[in-house]
Amino acid sequence: MCRWLAYSGTPVLLGTILYKPAHSLIDQSLHSRLGVETTNGDGFGIGWYAEEDIAAPAVFRDTGPAWNNRNLREIADHVRSPLFFAHIRASTGTAVQQTNCHPFRHGRWMWMHNGAVAGFHELRRDLALRVDPSLYADVEGTTDSEMMFFLALTFGLDEDPPGAVARMAGVVEAVGREHGVADPLQMTVAVTDGESVWAFRYSSRHESRTLFYSTRVDSLRRLHPDLEFLREVSDETRLVVSEPLGDLPGAWNEVPEGTYGIVRPGHDAIHEFAPAPV
């Protein structure tokens, strides 16, 4: 599987989040504690929005491991962003190639995924036929994750992100069961339009991969008044992560099974999530 994080809030250097925490995402690329695999070395990617322009994110992806990539370190120490995604990959069977590294991008949207579509090799053709023909030419890689993204785009991501992801999940489960796959979908997904972040935790077996969100900054300041980082970021700053970036007491909360969360200025919420028929 994989590990990922989504950051939204006060603009920070990417390296502040990617490298400095005790159990940073870079550390997790070698020493994941809660993932299926300890090592996530089958590529990585970061995607970020400029402070002055959210029309389209920048994306940097590579097929090597994150822990020793000098270009990633160079970018992380010089790029500042109010909203960024980062992902380290452990392939579930598809090729290790740049176009299969997350996050995926289309227009203003970014998407990343941890999990798998069971039996994807057999399901791929039927799922691909559900993608809007006007979008299909933009599919670059061979992963189930990117196919899920383009299905969500097909089913109305621009207008209704939670509904589009629910319809995507409904199609994956329906097609999977048509092919005799009892539990087709395993996913933690993050998707953003540059303003809001939606994070989903769901699996057909109701045994989803781990996902956590950070405690409100104002609450953490009361718990840990001496931490300089908490004095530098706004109350709107949030992180959603596959596994906690450290052991700071009170800092992390598990996203409940079968839910999705919304992170946006002035409004955070968690709602129930279930696949929807199309």
Side-chain angles (χ1 to χ4, degrees):
M1 300 296 174
C2 309
R3 306 278 82 184
W4 58 254
L5 70 79
Y7 174 91
S8 175
T10 298
V12 295
L13 288 173
L14 274 57
T16 303
I17 306 299
L18 294 181
Y19 286 91
K20 288 188 176 181
H23 190 48
S24 69
L25 197 68
I26 304 305
D27 180 66
Q28 291 175 36
S29 66
L30 270 172
H31 306 296
S32 172
R33 300 171 184 171
L34 302 179
V36 175
E37 299 88 5
T38 301
T39 303
N40 297 271
D42 294 330
F44 68 86
I46 53 174
W48 67 93
Y49 295 85
E51 294 181 55
E52 66 278 2
D53 182 12
I54 63 167
V59 173
F60 171 62
R61 303 181 293 180
D62 203 353
T63 56
W67 63 76
N68 66 354
N69 191 283
R70 295 178 66 185
N71 290 329
L72 175 61
R73 187 67 201 236
E74 185 76 12
I75 290 171
D77 285 344
H78 291 85
V79 170
R80 188 180 301 272
S81 173
L83 198 164
F84 63 89
F85 280 5
H87 186 282
I88 51 176
R89 185 172 184 240
S91 173
T92 56
T94 50
V96 178
Q97 60 192 47
Q98 192 175 101
T99 54
N100 284 347
C101 294
H102 311 221
F104 302 101
R105 172 183 61 185
H106 190 272
R108 73 180 194 272
W109 291 97
M110 280 199 302
W111 173 283
M112 58 186 176
H113 168 230
N114 174 35
V117 174
F120 180 63
H121 181 73
E122 289 75 27
L123 309 187
R124 181 187 300 171
R125 180 179 180 277
D126 285 355
L127 292 175
L129 290 172
R130 303 293 186 100
V131 174
D132 189 302
S134 68
L135 293 169
Y136 188 77
D138 294 328
V139 178
E140 294 184 322
T142 60
T143 63
D144 49 0
S145 304
E146 188 180 19
M147 189 70 71
M148 292 163 62
F149 180 31
F150 276 83
L151 286 168
L153 287 164
T154 296
F155 298 138
L157 193 61
D158 280 325
E159 295 80 26
D160 176 16
V165 176
R167 290 185 284 275
M168 173 278 293
V171 163
V172 170
E173 290 198 329
V175 170
R177 287 164 184 163
E178 287 171 5
H179 286 259
V181 180
D183 298 304
L185 186 57
Q186 171 70 249
M187 71 174 206
T188 62
V189 161
V191 60
T192 182
D193 60 358
E195 296 180 343
S196 302
V197 176
W198 294 264
F200 300 81
R201 185 178 184 221
Y202 173 80
S203 65
S204 303
R205 295 184 62 183
H206 308 295
E207 297 175 357
S208 300
R209 302 293 179 243
T210 56
L211 194 64
F212 299 84
Y213 64 95
S214 60
T215 297
R216 289 177 54 92
V217 170
D218 55 352
S219 298
L220 285 174
R221 287 196 197 102
R222 290 192 291 271
L223 288 171
H224 305 284
D226 297 331
L227 284 182
E228 182 179 354
F229 176 75
L230 295 176
R231 296 196 297 269
E232 295 174 349
V233 297
S234 72
D235 290 353
E236 300 288 352
T237 298
R238 298 286 186 276
L239 277 158
V240 185
V241 298
S242 293
E243 59 185 81
L245 305 185
D247 300 320
L248 187 68
W252 301 103
N253 312 275
E254 186 172 14
V255 175
E257 173 72 38
T259 66
Y260 73 92
I262 308 170
V263 176
R264 61 166 59 112
H267 176 78
D268 297 340
I270 293 179
H271 304 279
E272 291 185 359
F273 176 81
V278 176

